[in-house]
Amino acid sequence: MREHSELGVCVLLLALGVLVLTDALTMDVDITQRGPVGPKTVPIVVGVGLLVIAALLAVDVLRGGHGEAEGGEDVDLSEPADWRTVLLLAGVFLGSAVLIEPLGFPVAGALLFWGAAFALGSRRLDKDPLIAAVLSLITYAVFNNLLGVPLPGGPLMGVL
């Protein structure tokens, strides 16, 4: 069975496809609220795509196909993982998730961008906070004003 271990991925894709299709087909949609395409179209296409990929992968595996051993262009697999960076990124992400409600997205997002840059090795303390603030404000404006996705503004709500 070891030579057919990729069938587990096929089963996962199959289950995910069935789940997506089931949710899409049982979605309650009012006919007057939908446009020419409707909200079911994309989930149905994705679900069918998942089922097709699962079937094609299963056929390939059963015919003897297999994935290549993992390797990277510039990754030395003999080196241990950089857990410090992983934990710093996880802490920055969790911190921004906790701070988004009381401080608002612009501040929490700036801390997220700045913290991620710091965790990944940037030490430009003169430019990184400014770049993070600009990125956060642009992201807030795009989601809140252009896309209509309301993000918490926090104390800056009246200013922005």
Side-chain angles (χ1 to χ4, degrees):
M1 198 59 183
R2 186 172 278 257
E3 62 271 359
H4 296 305
S5 62
E6 287 98 343
L7 289 176
V9 175
C10 299
V11 171
L12 179 69
L13 291 172
L14 177 72
L16 192 59
V18 168
L19 176 69
V20 169
L21 280 176
T22 303
D23 281 349
L25 294 175
T26 59
M27 186 184 301
D28 186 30
V29 178
D30 186 10
I31 195 71
T32 61
Q33 292 180 343
R34 63 175 217 150
V37 174
K40 290 184 176 184
T41 305
V42 172
I44 289 174
V45 169
V46 169
V48 169
L50 286 167
L51 294 179
V52 168
I53 290 172
L56 292 173
L57 182 59
V59 168
D60 181 54
V61 169
L62 293 174
R63 287 185 176 171
H66 57 73
E68 294 182 24
E70 185 171 339
E73 294 176 15
D74 60 349
V75 177
D76 185 5
L77 297 176
S78 65
E79 290 291 319
D82 185 7
W83 288 106
R84 179 183 178 274
T85 301
V86 171
L87 292 175
L88 277 172
L89 283 172
V92 166
F93 180 75
L94 291 174
S96 68
V98 168
L99 294 174
I100 195 168
E101 196 59 41
L103 297 181
F105 183 84
V107 175
L111 292 174
L112 172 68
F113 292 137
W114 187 19
F118 182 84
L120 293 172
S122 178
R123 298 297 184 259
R124 298 292 311 254
L125 297 178
D126 55 339
K127 291 184 180 181
D128 288 347
L130 181 62
I131 293 170
V134 169
L135 277 174
S136 183
L137 288 172
I138 290 172
T139 304
Y140 178 78
V142 166
F143 274 87
N144 202 52
N145 300 336
L146 296 178
L147 298 176
V149 177
L151 295 174
L156 298 175
M157 191 59 139
V159 178
L160 300 176

